[in-house]
Amino acid sequence: MLVNQTVAAVSTPYGKGGVALIRVSGPEAIDVCARVFLPASGGSLAEADDRKAVYGTVVSEGERIDDALATVFRAPRSFTGEDTVEISCHGGLFVTERVLAAVLAAGALAAAAGEFTRRAFLNGKLSLSEAEAVADVIDAHSREQLRLAGANARGALSARMNALYEQLQTLLAACCADVDFPDENLSGQDTRSLQAGFSQIKQALEGLCATYRTGKAVREGIDTVIVGKPNTGKSSLLNLMCGSDRAIVTELAGTTRDLLEEKVIAGRVTLNLCDTAGLRPTQDRVERMGVERAYERLEHAELVLAVFDSSCPLDRFDARLIERIRSLPAAKIAVVNKTDLPQKMDPYQFDSVFDRVLSISCALGEGREQLFGAIEELYAAGAVDYDTAAVVSNARQYAALRSSADALQEAVAALSCGQSPDIAALDAERALGLLGEADGKSVSEGIVNEVFARFCVGK
């Protein structure tokens, strides 16, 4: 990172458009931009009112480049917490490059990916979870993703984690005071109240962890695999869920020989959908490779959609697949297809293995909404208000919170077994560090780098 340097980048997508925005941030941002931007009213950009757009001209070496607007944000009242100037020019590719080149020639350095948001985090303008949510807002491709990311960007999750951090910090301080001055009872806490306090925070952390199933389903999507024998309608199901003909469908068994992947919005959640080759013994080398890939993907699935042909009775291949699915930790839905044909299968025989059993007809285009509703029940049940709720939405946050809750469980166990408070304090201190890591209070540079690596240049 270019610490204490003034940096600049185009913050709008490159290409042809009505307006492009060049953002400049750092200790020399106003002076740098004053060298290239001449207000139409005269004077210098350095004299401009804070947060007020100024009309003028961008110049470079005496040559006029473009008419533009410049807005000055003086520290600390800016996104980054530093002096910042945003120049809005016409959105042509060449003119945008010329304006950026002029700013760089005037003394700014090219910003790295995520540079501005990283500075906002380092300057205390954003917590780490809020910074992550900024990237999620940019990447959102569904209404629920945008609502969830927006709530976290506004601090819903950060506020909840910060409150728990302060509670644990207070308890830990009391615990340490009693360890250092055992005869003074400075905290007024006894072992029982200390244990109850640790237990209460642990339960609150576990409540946050429980939201990850929904948060991940909304933000990242559920790794979903469609499996079944050949000609049960797997590819037809993929097409039904996508709302278009993505997979080739024929009456010939073994049409699908490789993995076919699509991202599908299923109500409030996203599915990372994978159609697979029909599962059967085969001498065809290519088809056999497809079957092997299907079994491999099945083992790592978070949601399994097992498709059965209701116009045929179950056979040994169906039974073998059901037994394989039974032991998987994934959520499981039996999709009983071809209800438009005479029925020879009892759908209720799946109840002991599958979380849901649905009868549909891909040929008639029936059952899509029922399937999406069943998936929502598994992953987004309840009236979660994505605009305000504290929802854990990425693996880094979940791992830190889960480990913090586990450390507090060890602290509670130590006290319940009669161990002294100083033993419990060691676990509680570890829990506090992990909770701080979740929101960036105590986080390594490597984790920070990993977080901001997914950002685009200009943000």
Side-chain angles (χ1 to χ4, degrees):
M1 190 186 74
L2 304 170
V3 180
N4 297 325
Q5 300 290 330
T6 297
V7 295
V10 179
S11 287
T12 44
Y14 276 95
K16 186 177 181 180
V19 177
L21 187 142
I22 290 86
R23 177 179 286 165
V24 188
S25 183
E28 304 296 324
I30 298 174
D31 289 341
V32 164
C33 291
R35 296 180 192 127
V36 300
F37 184 87
L38 305 179
S41 59
S44 169
L45 184 64
E47 301 167 353
D49 292 337
D50 198 22
R51 297 167 175 260
K52 182 178 179 180
V54 176
Y55 174 70
T57 303
V58 178
V59 298
S60 178
E61 298 180 349
E63 179 186 354
R64 174 177 170 170
I65 298 175
D66 193 21
D67 295 332
L69 293 174
T71 308
V72 175
F73 302 86
R74 290 181 172 85
R77 302 199 327 150
S78 70
F79 176 70
T80 62
E82 305 171 327
D83 283 347
T84 302
V85 179
E86 293 182 350
I87 299 175
S88 299
C89 63
H90 289 96
L93 180 60
F94 183 69
V95 67
T96 303
E97 290 179 343
R98 287 291 309 276
V99 174
L100 177 61
V103 171
L104 296 178
L109 300 175
E115 182 82 20
F116 300 109
T117 310
R118 180 196 285 259
R119 291 183 178 210
F121 164 66
L122 295 176
N123 291 327
K125 303 292 288 187
L126 296 173
S127 69
L128 193 58
S129 64
E130 289 169 337
E132 289 172 307
V134 168
D136 291 341
V137 168
I138 296 171
D139 293 339
H141 56 262
S142 75
R143 179 171 178 266
E144 277 65 34
Q145 286 178 342
L146 183 58
R147 291 174 64 197
L148 176 58
N152 284 343
R154 292 188 295 272
L157 178 60
S158 181
R160 180 62 177 144
M161 290 192 291
N162 190 57
L164 293 175
Y165 185 90
E166 291 179 354
Q167 292 175 32
L168 182 54
Q169 193 173 44
T170 299
L171 270 180
L172 183 58
C175 184
C176 292
D178 289 343
V179 169
D180 292 338
F181 306 97
D183 298 328
E184 302 294 331
N185 192 25
L186 296 177
S187 70
Q189 300 267 10
D190 57 19
T191 300
R192 181 174 298 178
S193 62
L194 196 62
Q195 182 177 341
F198 287 152
S199 181
Q200 182 181 17
I201 297 172
K202 177 188 76 72
Q203 291 173 6
L205 289 172
E206 289 176 340
L208 276 179
C209 289
T211 67
Y212 178 57
R213 180 180 174 92
T214 295
K216 182 180 183 300
V218 172
R219 176 183 178 267
E220 299 178 13
I222 307 158
D223 291 336
T224 305
V225 176
I226 302 174
V227 294
K229 295 187 310 183
N231 270 6
T232 55
K234 300 183 303 303
S235 296
S236 296
L237 177 62
L238 175 73
N239 290 340
L240 179 67
M241 296 176 73
C242 291
S244 62
D245 290 338
R246 282 294 295 113
I248 296 174
V249 176
T250 74
E251 72 283 359
L252 301 175
T255 300
T256 301
R257 296 189 170 202
D258 204 350
L259 305 179
L260 182 59
E261 302 187 66
E262 284 291 321
K263 190 175 289 288
V264 173
I265 305 299
R268 291 177 291 169
V269 301
T270 301
L271 303 180
N272 303 321
L273 202 57
C274 177
D275 184 22
T276 63
L279 302 179
R280 65 171 180 178
T282 177
Q283 299 302 314
D284 185 293
R285 181 170 175 267
V286 175
E287 185 179 358
R288 188 168 65 249
M289 291 173 65
V291 171
E292 290 171 356
R293 291 186 179 184
Y295 279 124
E296 181 180 352
R297 187 60 66 92
L298 177 62
E299 294 297 323
H300 297 92
E302 296 174 290
L303 172 63
V304 176
L305 304 179
V307 185
F308 299 93
D309 181 352
S310 64
S311 67
C312 301
L314 287 180
D315 60 23
R316 68 181 187 278
F317 299 114
D318 292 312
R320 189 177 301 166
L321 174 61
I322 292 171
E323 285 307 306
R324 186 154 190 163
I325 291 174
R326 184 191 298 274
S327 61
L328 297 177
K332 311 169 185 71
I333 296 179
V335 181
V336 183
N337 187 29
K338 303 187 182 182
T339 57
D340 52 298
L341 300 177
Q343 300 298 286
K344 298 182 180 180
M345 181 182 293
D346 178 9
Y348 296 103
Q349 60 193 311
F350 302 116
D351 284 351
S352 64
V353 177
F354 293 92
D355 300 292
R356 300 287 188 278
V357 179
L358 296 174
S359 296
I360 71 169
S361 172
C362 293
L364 298 179
E366 297 176 353
R368 184 174 188 263
E369 296 308 316
Q370 292 88 334
L371 177 57
F372 285 176
I375 294 171
E376 280 191 289
E377 287 179 6
L378 291 174
Y379 287 93
V384 176
D385 185 350
Y386 293 117
D387 293 317
T388 60
V391 178
V392 178
S393 60
N394 70 50
R396 186 198 66 78
Q397 296 166 355
Y398 174 76
L401 292 172
R402 180 68 267 168
S403 297
S404 181
D406 291 343
L408 276 182
Q409 176 58 43
E410 293 180 21
V412 170
L415 291 174
S416 65
C417 292
Q419 297 283 352
S420 60
D422 58 328
I423 300 299
L426 294 173
D427 293 318
E429 187 174 2
R430 182 160 54 91
L432 185 70
L434 289 162
L435 181 52
E437 181 181 300
D439 206 25
K441 290 182 176 64
S442 55
V443 66
S444 70
E445 183 178 354
I447 291 177
V448 173
N449 291 337
E450 184 177 338
V451 168
F452 289 99
R454 61 183 286 250
F455 279 69
C456 58
V457 174
K459 192 55 186 168

